[in-house]
Amino acid sequence: MAFISTGYNPAKPMENRITDIGPKDHNEFYPPVIQKNKGKWSHHEILEPGVLVHVAESGDEVYTVRAGGARLMSTTMINEICDIADKHCNGHVRFTTRNNIEFMVDSKDKVEPLKNDLASRKFDGGSYKFPIGGTGAGITNIVHTQGWIHCHTPATDASGTVKASMDVLFNDFQDMRLPAQLRVSMACCLNMCGAVHCSDIAILGYHRKPPMLDHEYLDKVCEIPLAVSACPTAAIRPSKQVLANGTEVKSVAVKNERCMYCGNCYTMCPSMPLADTVGDGIVLMAGGKVSNRISEPKFSKVVVAFLPNEMPRWPSMTSAITKMVEAYAADANKYERLGDWAERIGWEKFFEKCELEFTHHLIDDFRQQAYMSWRQTTQFKF
Amino acid sequence: MAKHETPLLDQLETGPWPSFVSDLKQQAEKRAKNVEGVEFQIPVDVVEDLLGVLELSYKHGRTHWKHGGIVGVFGYGGGVIGRYCDQPTAFPGVAAFHTMRVNHPAGKYYSTEYLRKLTELWDFRGSGITNMHGATGDIILLGTTTPQLEEIFWTLTHDLGQDLGGSGSNLRTPADCLGQSRCEYACYDTNALVYFLTNEYQDELHRPAFPYKFKFKLDGCPNCCVASIARSDMSFIGTWRDDIRIDQDAVNKYVENDPAYPANAGAFRGSKDWGPFDIEKEVTGLCPTKCMKFANKKLTIDNSNCTRCMHCINVMPRALKIGKDTGLSILCGAKAPILDGAQMGSLLVPFVEVNPDNDYEEITEIIENVWDWWMEEGKNRERLGELIMRQGFQRLLEATGIEAQPQHVSYPRTNPYIFWKEDEVEGGWERDVEEYRKHHQR
Amino acid sequence: MSDLLDNVEDATKAVVDFLKEKSKNKTKFYLNDFYKIFPDDKPRAIKKVVNRMVETGELEFWSSGSTTMYGLKGAGIQHSSENEE
């Protein structure tokens, strides 16, 4: 494994350096039918789950076959996507904001061969590589964060919870039986680098224990003022500590009751780890949306305060999600998003119909906004 | 033979949804065989060690990663996230496992020629594991060592014509929906505007400029497919201010349940039978402003009362089209809940034209005014939305020179505690108490 | 732009002096910590000057992933784990 240099010279980093050139120009990547008809599309139609046609004013058509994919993807998979795109789509492909892969062809006769090719590809373990679906009044791919594969503050895994969820929701990925689209999102800690706070159903990793303090090493591996200032709730202060061997060291103290378990201190200071086998788990939220359609965009609400991490398939979590989806599918009106449905029937009925337990943790007590969520009327349902 | 036993992860290989475990395993095997004779610049068994450390997390229920302070390549304040394994002896292949963010193209369109160059580079100098794509939109290259960072950047910029994305207190990689490239609802060319803004603000994207992160997201219409209204400090959402265009013949095709005119463009073609389409129940009756009616085979819309929610257009796309006088609305301050709770974007500019001919001057002027205010007044790690909350929406209007209008609020304030400025009150605040006492005893 | 910020040498010295003076307590600083050194200048102008000091080698960036900080090159705790002490 000899080091092979590109020509970069560490002693003179600015030599022949190219910077600030930005992304590739999308015009280089458009399929010809897209380039030609851009801004002149007449209408579209979902022909069946996962297959769309867009019709241009010129009469041109572009057929899109949408396939789900794990966003954690190897170069082997990407090269396979390229093989498919080369074979069927003249070397063009796109991804959606929800990690789906879209293969586009410019005539109807090219659709079936493409579909058959995609559907035939499976991993050795048995799962589909390119399941077709994710359109219309169904469940599309879950957007998510890194989790245990690569993040330092996750309270759960992302890829695993998503795989487990999509396996139980798979029929709805390939169907369009729901009252409206249902968006599921996943973020593996409350920092929500994938903002899931406006999703029909949100899976959120959550810690429940304040950081541990590795006093012996803290001052050696961390800058104490940075650890102190990292805390959003000002729960950390500098403090002298006496070790078991009697040595006095500089360290920090944490006011545990102020801690919101965000892990920001651990980011600044590796001597303050907070991950915990039983402390960490899953929060489920529901009823959010971003579309302005019919009703205004709205935030998701916490509907399950905590579920334990149950590796590798999180059965309690997938069961709660399934209950929500089935209750919604059975009871909501056509075009009604999950949150619109919950508001129409009332959240008290939501818990009843979804067979979810309401607990005191679901009553907001965080800062001023909490008041807005309490019931200030005599109108409620028994 | 796998390097590490992974009994827990193995259980994620079954089931229909694409298994990331199967994918990681095929990648590990491909590296081990190395048929193409790649001179791997990071350990050949990196993916096996990644599987191993992930299995350990599944066993422990805890992460095994630590943060690293590496920020980027020389001169950049973002684009790289440093990552170290906390079990480097057991999993040496992933002891250092940094992420690089690569700025994705508008609309996430690719040529296979480009993707193959990228995978070739990433097999050579990295783990070969990616995210397509990260939550902000970038292509994420997941896992390489420190000495490779500059080399990868060199190849990206010199051979692929490709730059890194943002992280840290920078402008984050702006993201868009596919817009007019393939959507009849798009009110402006999101791809062109996102490309322009990304290039215009390269300095802000690569080098820290702000109190905290700052995100642009661009949605072509109020359906908000990229969630700009919930996820970006400044969201640009397409809209129009003239009339919805109606094709009455097509409306009647929907009413007659013509199979070529399925409700909601076929979105309900699933296993549930919702019965025949009913325009009153499904369109006019659900219109949030009740500004439309269907009588005598004619659909009429009182456009002055339409809030452009897109519902009727979504249901009958062959009959109803967005208006012709299009532009975008700008909303400010959306963010995820941490710390003071989630915020949705608040409407700052109801309508602005999208004009590439003058380099989108009206839009960039608003952006720069907002930035100047936030850079002056924002506390460390305070998002724009939090500054607006702390100092008030009126300060945002002052900073951007925008006149208050009723569109700015859902409803006017419910308290009378108005902090008048001295120059707003006739005669100011300086008064003569002696003069007052001539008429009022002490 | 103030004369101080406009003069590369003076501005560099002012920033370096400020960081050295504070280095006993901590070694990483936010952009707005530098605003105090140049009270008459716009943040945008200050940002350009300190970012240039990274390219000329006086300063270096440190990032938490969500925020970026500045420090004197090589200052503070540089290693990433206990084994590297």
Side-chain angles (χ1 to χ4, degrees):
Chain A
M1 197 172 77
F3 184 85
I4 299 172
S5 166
T6 50
Y8 169 75
N9 178 359
K12 291 181 183 167
M14 295 308 285
E15 194 176 78
N16 295 328
R17 193 172 192 81
I18 298 175
T19 66
D20 301 277
I21 56 172
K24 297 292 285 183
D25 185 345
H26 49 281
N27 286 295
E28 292 174 29
F29 294 152
Y30 284 151
V33 63
I34 295 289
Q35 182 75 269
K36 181 184 163 200
N37 296 292
K38 181 175 175 179
K40 290 174 281 191
W41 294 101
S42 162
H43 60 275
H44 76 283
E45 193 177 328
I46 304 170
L47 301 170
E48 60 183 62
V51 182
L52 303 102
V53 60
H54 288 80
V55 183
E57 288 161 5
S58 66
D60 286 355
E61 294 176 329
V62 59
Y63 290 83
T64 301
V65 179
R66 182 178 292 172
R71 86 160 202 177
L72 182 69
M73 193 174 272
S74 71
T75 50
T76 309
M77 269 299 272
I78 298 172
N79 288 338
E80 187 167 344
I81 291 168
C82 290
D83 292 343
I84 298 167
D86 283 341
K87 190 168 152 199
H88 298 273
C89 314
N90 286 317
H92 295 278
V93 65
R94 78 172 286 268
F95 291 78
T96 72
T97 31
R98 302 191 74 88
N99 310 324
N100 293 309
I101 308 144
E102 288 190 341
F103 297 94
M104 282 166 279
V105 292
D106 54 13
S107 73
K108 193 167 190 176
D109 57 300
K110 296 176 183 170
V111 174
E112 280 307 309
L114 171 60
K115 273 171 55 190
N116 293 337
D117 191 350
L118 291 171
S120 72
R121 293 172 189 255
K122 286 188 165 188
F123 284 109
D124 292 344
S127 64
Y128 288 103
K129 284 180 174 171
F130 304 102
I132 298 166
T135 51
I139 295 176
T140 187
N141 205 341
I142 299 178
V143 288
H144 64 93
T145 56
Q146 298 291 17
W148 291 332
I149 199 83
H150 202 242
C151 184
H152 65 293
T153 58
T156 189
D157 188 35
S159 301
T161 53
V162 166
K163 163 71 175 156
S165 300
M166 283 311 290
D167 276 342
V168 302
L169 298 172
F170 191 73
N171 286 342
D172 280 316
F173 179 80
Q174 298 201 311
D175 196 354
M176 301 191 289
R177 62 157 183 148
L178 298 179
Q181 74 240 52
L182 193 147
R183 298 280 181 260
V184 186
S185 307
M186 194 286 158
C188 54
C189 82
L190 88 176
N191 292 299
M192 291 195 199
C193 69
V196 300
H197 57 294
C198 295
S199 311
D200 294 281
I201 294 177
I203 304 165
L204 179 68
Y206 205 79
H207 299 285
R208 297 184 302 166
K209 295 189 183 184
M212 290 175 279
L213 304 173
D214 199 353
H215 292 305
E216 187 184 344
Y217 285 91
L218 200 136
D219 188 44
K220 294 180 205 160
V221 297
C222 317
E223 290 190 26
I224 288 173
L226 292 177
V228 170
S229 67
C231 181
T233 64
I236 305 174
R237 62 180 167 82
S239 160
K240 290 224 163 71
Q241 300 283 341
V242 181
L243 302 177
N245 65 13
T247 332
E248 192 182 75
V249 291
K250 281 194 218 164
S251 186
V252 299
V254 176
K255 203 173 261 184
N256 284 338
E257 66 277 14
R258 290 188 75 138
C259 177
M260 64 190 293
Y261 332 110
C262 70
N264 288 2
C265 54
Y266 181 59
T267 302
M268 290 292 185
C269 177
S271 293
M272 302 178 73
L274 82 164
D276 190 87
T277 305
V278 295
D280 300 350
I282 303 273
V283 174
L284 291 178
M285 301 175 77
K289 75 193 222 358
V290 294
S291 163
N292 290 273
R293 183 176 185 174
I294 304 179
S295 64
E296 292 175 6
K298 48 184 135 234
F299 296 123
S300 311
K301 283 84 183 170
V302 179
V303 293
V304 178
F306 185 80
L307 291 169
N309 276 326
E310 299 165 326
M311 293 71 77
R313 282 198 168 267
W314 285 266
S316 304
M317 175 194 78
T318 55
S319 149
I321 292 171
T322 308
K323 284 196 275 189
M324 283 191 269
V325 172
E326 290 308 325
Y328 164 69
D331 198 57
N333 295 331
K334 194 175 178 185
Y335 303 109
E336 209 167 37
R337 292 288 289 266
L338 191 141
D340 295 325
W341 166 65
E343 285 172 11
R344 176 172 61 81
I345 63 173
W347 283 97
E348 62 272 46
K349 288 287 168 192
F350 171 90
F351 284 93
E352 190 181 304
K353 285 183 190 288
C354 296
E355 296 168 31
L356 296 175
E357 190 192 357
F358 189 87
T359 68
H360 73 93
H361 288 119
L362 303 181
I363 299 174
D364 197 351
D365 56 0
F366 188 74
R367 308 201 172 179
Q368 291 123 321
Q369 68 204 3
Y371 163 84
M372 305 298 290
S373 68
W374 306 334
R375 194 177 303 262
Q376 285 116 17
T377 170
T378 57
Q379 296 184 14
F380 59 86
K381 295 178 183 174
F382 287 108
Chain B
M1 182 64 200
K3 183 174 171 187
H4 307 284
E5 295 279 304
T6 54
L8 291 167
L9 292 177
D10 293 350
Q11 296 175 52
L12 287 170
E13 289 204 83
T14 54
W17 188 251
S19 169
F20 68 98
V21 176
S22 299
D23 190 20
L24 291 174
K25 284 185 176 178
Q26 73 169 5
Q27 185 74 3
E29 201 178 306
K30 188 183 139 196
R31 282 180 81 93
K33 285 187 184 154
N34 194 17
V35 174
E36 287 151 19
V38 180
E39 292 200 59
F40 294 122
Q41 296 292 293
I42 73 165
V44 60
D45 54 0
V46 53
V47 184
E48 283 171 283
D49 279 351
L50 183 63
L51 280 161
V53 75
L54 187 61
E55 176 74 15
L56 193 63
S57 281
Y58 270 63
K59 197 172 142 199
H60 288 157
R62 302 188 299 266
T63 190
H64 284 286
W65 298 102
K66 294 191 300 179
H67 179 70
I70 291 175
V71 295
V73 294
F74 187 76
Y76 278 14
V80 176
I81 312 289
R83 203 59 87 208
Y84 298 94
C85 181
D86 74 4
Q87 290 287 297
T89 315
F91 308 103
V94 294
F97 199 69
H98 311 315
T99 296
M100 297 185 85
R101 294 184 177 174
V102 177
N103 195 332
H104 66 288
K108 297 194 173 85
Y109 285 95
Y110 293 100
S111 69
T112 53
E113 186 195 353
Y114 168 84
L115 284 177
R116 287 186 199 278
K117 279 189 201 159
L118 194 67
T119 57
E120 189 190 348
L121 168 64
W122 192 232
D123 282 336
F124 176 42
R125 296 198 180 274
S127 68
I129 302 300
T130 77
N131 292 147
M132 296 296 283
H133 296 72
T136 300
D138 297 284
I139 303 166
I140 306 288
L141 302 180
L142 208 63
T144 193
T145 58
T146 310
Q148 294 303 316
L149 298 172
E150 289 289 351
E151 306 295 332
I152 292 165
F153 181 68
W154 182 280
T155 302
L156 284 174
T157 51
H158 285 74
D159 302 344
L160 274 77
Q162 170 68 61
D163 211 329
L164 297 182
S167 66
S169 317
N170 301 14
L171 173 65
R172 300 304 181 85
T173 307
D176 64 345
C177 69
L178 55 55
Q180 292 179 334
S181 71
R182 206 195 63 195
C183 182
E184 69 272 23
Y185 300 153
C187 301
Y188 69 100
D189 186 348
T190 52
N191 297 168
L193 181 57
V194 84
Y195 185 66
F196 175 84
L197 292 176
T198 308
N199 282 300
E200 179 74 5
Y201 297 119
Q202 281 287 293
D203 190 36
E204 284 78 3
L205 198 148
H206 295 305
R207 296 166 196 87
F210 305 128
Y212 204 12
K213 63 180 88 165
F214 194 94
K215 298 185 180 181
F216 289 145
K217 288 193 193 294
L218 292 77
D219 272 309
C221 84
N223 281 331
C224 283
C225 291
V226 294
S228 67
I229 200 166
R231 301 191 52 187
S232 55
D233 299 272
M234 242 175 151
S235 56
F236 304 90
I237 304 175
T239 194
W240 67 93
R241 52 185 177 182
D242 55 347
D243 295 352
I244 292 175
R245 289 173 283 155
I246 308 175
D247 175 346
Q248 298 290 352
D249 290 342
V251 173
N252 282 290
K253 298 267 200 216
Y254 282 100
V255 173
E256 291 155 15
N257 280 278
D258 184 316
Y261 293 74
N264 216 97
F268 293 94
R269 280 181 171 146
S271 61
K272 175 158 178 162
D273 181 5
W274 291 91
F277 176 71
D278 179 339
I279 192 168
E280 295 199 345
K281 222 169 97 187
E282 301 189 29
V283 182
T284 57
L286 291 178
C287 170
T289 63
K290 303 287 180 281
C291 71
M292 56 202 316
K293 62 170 190 273
F294 182 75
N296 302 321
K297 298 197 167 187
K298 197 174 171 208
L299 183 74
T300 47
I301 300 176
D302 170 11
N303 281 279
S304 67
N305 278 307
C306 170
T307 51
R308 302 168 312 287
C309 85
M310 298 294 297
H311 175 65
C312 58
I313 298 176
N314 286 330
V315 177
M316 305 193 294
R318 297 193 72 166
L320 302 178
K321 314 273 180 202
I322 58 167
K324 291 221 160 207
D325 182 13
T326 58
L328 58 81
S329 304
I330 301 179
L331 291 86
C332 285
K335 54 180 277 293
I338 193 155
L339 173 71
D340 259 319
Q343 280 177 246
M344 211 65 88
S346 298
L347 180 68
L348 174 65
V349 184
F351 187 91
V352 60
E353 276 175 13
V354 182
N355 187 357
D357 297 333
N358 66 5
D359 282 347
Y360 307 97
E361 172 181 278
E362 285 176 73
I363 293 169
T364 53
E365 191 190 330
I366 295 161
I367 292 170
E368 286 164 30
N369 284 335
V370 167
W371 281 351
D372 281 341
W373 175 55
W374 183 48
M375 288 168 75
E376 288 269 358
E377 299 290 336
K379 294 181 185 172
N380 291 324
R381 295 153 56 99
E382 183 174 57
R383 292 284 288 269
L384 177 64
E386 291 161 326
L387 174 63
I388 299 170
M389 289 277 265
R390 182 163 62 81
Q391 293 202 342
F393 191 81
Q394 300 183 23
R395 283 285 295 116
L396 175 65
L397 291 179
E398 276 172 35
T400 49
I402 292 168
E403 288 279 325
Q405 43 200 305
Q407 284 80 3
H408 283 135
V409 295
S410 292
Y411 50 86
R413 63 195 303 154
T414 57
N415 64 71
Y417 310 137
I418 299 164
F419 288 94
W420 292 93
K421 287 194 188 119
E422 187 171 8
D423 62 9
E424 290 179 324
V425 183
E426 204 182 324
W429 291 342
E430 288 302 316
R431 287 181 285 164
D432 184 352
V433 71
E434 294 305 326
E435 179 61 29
Y436 182 83
R437 288 296 168 218
K438 284 180 191 165
H439 308 284
H440 304 268
Q441 290 183 7
R442 283 188 177 88
Chain C
M1 197 188 279
S2 69
D3 292 346
L4 177 59
L5 192 67
D6 201 26
N7 182 317
V8 175
E9 237 168 73
D10 291 355
T12 302
K13 186 173 180 307
V15 170
V16 171
D17 287 350
F18 171 82
L19 292 178
K20 280 189 176 152
E21 184 195 318
K22 301 266 178 182
S23 65
K24 274 181 223 90
N25 293 319
K26 58 174 181 173
T27 62
K28 297 177 184 75
F29 295 83
Y30 289 107
L31 176 62
N32 80 3
D33 292 324
F34 301 122
Y35 292 2
K36 315 183 209 5
I37 312 175
F38 309 102
D40 302 326
D41 291 289
K42 284 270 178 206
R44 199 185 287 242
I46 299 168
K47 170 202 88 174
K48 287 207 187 292
V49 169
V50 292
N51 283 342
R52 195 183 53 219
M53 289 176 66
V54 173
E55 288 190 9
T56 50
E58 286 92 3
L59 303 184
E60 66 186 4
F61 293 127
W62 186 92
S63 175
S64 74
S66 60
T67 43
T68 315
M69 305 179 87
Y70 298 80
L72 286 170
K73 196 173 174 77
I77 295 158
Q78 294 283 323
H79 54 78
S80 60
S81 75
E82 56 195 86
N83 306 324
E84 292 175 35
E85 274 168 61

